[in-house]
Amino acid sequence: MDTARTRLAVGAGVFGLMFLTLAARVVDVSLLAEGQPRVAATPQAVITAEPRVERASIVDRNGVLLAASLPTAALYANPREIADPVEAARKLATVLPDIDPALLAPRLDGDRQFVYIRRHLTPREQDAVNRLGVPGVYFQRAERRVYPQGHAAVHVLGGTDVDGNGIAGVERQFDARLREQVGSPLQLSLDIRVQHVLREALGRAIGRFEAIGGAGVVMDVTTGEVLAMVSLPDYDPAEVATAPAESRFNRITVGVYEPGSTFKILSTAMALDLGTTRLAGGYDASRPITYGRFTISDFRGKNRWLTVPEIFAYSSNIGTARMVLEVGVPRHRAFLDRLGMTRRLGIELPEAALPLAPSARNWKEINTLTIAFGHGISVTPLHVATGTAAMVNGGVLHRPTLLARDPAAPLPVGERVIRAETSATLRRLMRLTVTHGSGRGAEVPGYFVGGKTGTAQKVGSHGRYLRDARISSFTGIFPAHRPRYVVYLMIDEPKPQRDTHGFATGGWVAAPAAKEVIERIGPLLGIVPEPETETIRSALAITLPGQAPARPAAAPAAQRQAALPAPERRVAAQ
């Protein structure tokens, strides 16, 4: 009996210890670990504690996060293991309200072994699904691409598809690099602060003038780095695959437009650099130029002889056309070709358009006459900004880039396209346009803004100019005596307003928007407003006559015509 009692006591103690252990485990699972997510009781549902993402982050020049991948869980099912598809769909819909059980149930029925239910689940959703205990439902490791800055740089960043593959913008251009160097963020030249300012100013201008869209770019003139690139309307980067085509259209690198008078920067620089004209020279702008069925006239012209500074400041089409015609057709086209105006720019985006320009065979005198003032050729806004930078930075063309440059590295070596002396003259002329010409609306005290306005009619589907559809633009530099940045803004189809006296030209529409951008980004970029010193005054000094220089008006027309170069004589005669 003693032996039996001892054995019973030992057995009872062992079983008691087992039940006590089980009870403790139940308490731990049900109460103490309440907030911890639990996976389904199946080997396929095991989730890695800290999954590694498969795509590198993208940051701006200051290290601000622009794009990143977050680990998530995907929900899928094996229909062969689901006994009641209708009931399973109903249960899943109770914790995932966006799921339609009527549509899900048929997908959970059949002989397939894999059906996606939801691509990305939050941790809370994952825990709720797991608590349902639905047989045949599993989790799979996944990742989600997020863009913390929202719409701000969407046309630059582009986006990815549901499988994480880059399908637009930088995400597509650097898809392999982002996959292969996961631990090294891709640093862009963008400054997200400047990007936000540009987008806000552009949006306000579009709204005020009831335009259909617009574009803007801020570029470093010495390196070609793009600090901001905005195209409106835009879209949510998470919806790149479903966004409307109009919103996905990048007006900066894909849209090609006639640049209008902003092209006079290139035309004037070319004529001065090749020596066919002088700053003290001038041209007759007293009457329109008639060439066959074409007539070239000035908008609110002075109707007199104009000096070169006057031609630039008053934006004379007639004077510019005569100036460029002296250069000649072959040299004119060769100059624009050197500036890249006849080919795609090599920026790091897959979305880049080819300019629309006459071929070498079809480039005639009439093309030179109209292209001189920005008509008859269509380029992207980035072409204009890049060309402007080369004209004012000392005459060196740099390829535009979206990649941040190492500050410790030497400055990039570009291609010299004009002399440094010509570049200094262009800076004076651009400053003159803001102080005395059509760009007055862009003036910012202390920043010595220089610029050029542009207004061009849009071409319709029938190939003719549309009367009430125009592109209004402004390309500016600051500070003009020592340029650091180019600011270009374009408004697509602005409508005249009462407070602009019925005008919707570049000076009324784009120049004030550029002013807002410059006065806000200047301090962000470390440029402090400064008073006008004798050094600055000397660097920007230029003469704008109060009246036209004396001309031999009594000379017979035939004598005046004979003094012109051969191409000019043909135009004058016609």
Side-chain angles (χ1 to χ4, degrees), residues 467-489:
R467 179 181 295 274
D468 297 320
R470 62 185 65 82
I471 297 290
S472 297
S473 60
F474 177 83
T475 180
I477 59 172
F478 74 101
H481 59 285
R482 191 174 57 253
R484 292 281 304 280
Y485 302 101
V486 166
V487 176
Y488 175 92
L489 283 98

Side-chain angles (χ1 to χ4, degrees), residues 149-493:
Q149 303 300 328
H151 292 232
V154 63
H155 286 98
V156 176
L157 297 174
T160 59
D161 59 17
V162 294
D163 295 317
N165 302 308
I167 57 175
V170 167
E171 293 276 24
R172 178 181 174 185
Q173 183 74 19
F174 294 97
D175 186 67
R177 185 258 186 246
L178 291 169
R179 290 184 177 279
E180 294 168 2
Q181 303 179 38
V182 177
S184 175
L186 176 66
Q187 188 170 31
L188 302 184
S189 61
L190 295 184
D191 187 322
I192 198 61
R193 304 169 302 171
V194 179
Q195 186 80 15
H196 279 294
V197 170
L198 181 61
R199 186 174 183 273
E200 289 173 3
L202 189 63
R204 271 191 284 271
I206 292 172
R208 181 189 175 196
F209 290 94
E210 306 171 74
I212 65 172
V217 62
V218 178
M219 177 185 292
D220 188 316
V221 302
T222 59
T223 64
E225 291 174 288
V226 175
L227 275 72
M229 180 187 292
V230 176
S231 176
L232 294 178
D234 54 20
Y235 59 95
D236 186 333
E239 301 173 357
V240 60
T242 58
E246 173 66 15
S247 298
R248 287 186 283 111
F249 183 72
N250 187 351
R251 284 175 161 82
I252 288 290
T253 61
V254 179
V256 289
Y257 312 93
E258 291 195 346
S261 293
T262 58
F263 233 49
K264 291 173 183 173
I265 297 173
L266 311 184
S267 299
T268 306
M270 174 187 64
L272 290 171
D273 200 66
L274 293 177
T276 58
T277 193
R278 296 177 297 109
L279 195 60
Y283 296 87
D284 182 12
S286 61
R287 59 186 183 277
I289 297 175
T290 301
Y291 196 105
R293 62 186 180 89
F294 300 101
T295 300
I296 298 172
S297 58
D298 286 343
F299 175 70
R300 305 180 70 177
K302 301 299 181 180
N303 302 315
R304 59 177 172 81
W305 184 276
L306 297 176
T307 64
V308 169
E310 287 179 308
I311 289 170
F312 193 90
Y314 301 146
S315 200
S316 170
N317 296 337
I318 299 172
T320 306
R322 293 187 186 281
M323 184 192 309
V324 174
L325 197 61
E326 282 190 344
V327 173
V329 173
R331 290 197 295 178
H332 181 212
R333 190 183 191 282
F335 181 78
L336 294 183
D337 189 59
R338 286 178 62 197
L339 289 176
M341 298 297 156
T342 58
R343 60 182 183 274
R344 288 185 178 88
L345 291 175
I347 195 165
E348 300 89 355
L349 285 177
E351 303 87 9
L354 181 70
L356 301 178
S359 64
R361 175 179 298 180
N362 296 323
W363 196 302
K364 309 298 182 184
E365 274 188 4
I366 183 59
N367 301 110
T368 283
L369 284 169
T370 59
I371 292 173
F373 54 90
H375 287 70
I377 187 172
S378 295
V379 298
T380 70
L382 190 60
H383 279 87
V384 179
T386 303
T388 301
M391 296 300 99
V392 302
N393 68 3
V396 179
L397 178 67
H398 293 286
R399 183 178 69 87
T401 180
L402 285 168
L403 296 179
R405 184 185 66 86
D406 182 359
L411 288 175
V413 178
E415 176 188 359
R416 176 160 296 282
V417 288
I418 59 173
R419 291 176 289 113
E421 296 81 1
T422 305
S423 179
T425 301
L426 257 292
R427 296 196 290 268
R428 296 188 179 98
L429 291 173
M430 293 179 71
R431 176 60 181 161
L432 183 67
T433 300
V434 173
T435 57
H436 291 81
S438 58
R440 290 185 179 93
E443 175 70 326
V444 181
Y447 282 105
F448 304 98
V449 178
K452 190 74 188 74
T453 58
T455 307
Q457 287 180 288
K458 292 183 69 174
V459 179
S461 57
H462 46 66
R464 297 182 179 180
Y465 288 105
L466 303 174
R467 179 181 295 274
D468 297 320
R470 62 185 65 82
I471 297 290
S472 297
S473 60
F474 177 83
T475 180
I477 59 172
F478 74 101
H481 59 285
R482 191 174 57 253
R484 292 281 304 280
Y485 302 101
V486 166
V487 176
Y488 175 92
L489 283 98
M490 178 272 284
I491 311 298
D492 195 352
E493 294 190 22

Side-chain angles (χ1 to χ4, degrees), residues 85-151:
V86 175
E87 179 63 14
R90 185 192 65 78
K91 286 185 176 182
L92 290 171
T94 61
V95 296
L96 302 175
D98 59 320
I99 289 180
D100 186 346
L103 297 177
L104 179 59
R107 298 177 58 216
L108 299 180
D109 190 13
D111 293 332
R112 290 177 294 178
Q113 295 184 350
F114 187 93
V115 172
Y116 263 125
I117 300 176
R118 172 85 85 76
R119 287 279 182 174
H120 302 288
L121 273 70
T122 65
R124 190 181 300 275
E125 290 173 333
Q126 182 181 354
D127 182 61
V129 170
N130 193 63
R131 288 175 180 273
L132 294 176
V134 178
V137 175
Y138 306 104
F139 300 113
Q140 183 184 59
R141 188 179 71 81
E143 64 180 55
R144 185 185 187 94
R145 198 68 166 169
V146 295
Y147 302 90
Q149 303 300 328
H151 292 232

Side-chain angles (χ1 to χ4, degrees), residues 284 286-287 305 322 551-565 568-574:
D284 182 12
S286 61
R287 59 186 183 277
W305 184 276
R322 293 187 186 281
R551 299 297 301 169
Q559 181 179 338
R560 296 198 305 270
Q561 187 171 323
L564 299 174
E568 181 80 352
R569 287 200 300 272
R570 287 195 293 274
V571 174
Q574 290 169 330

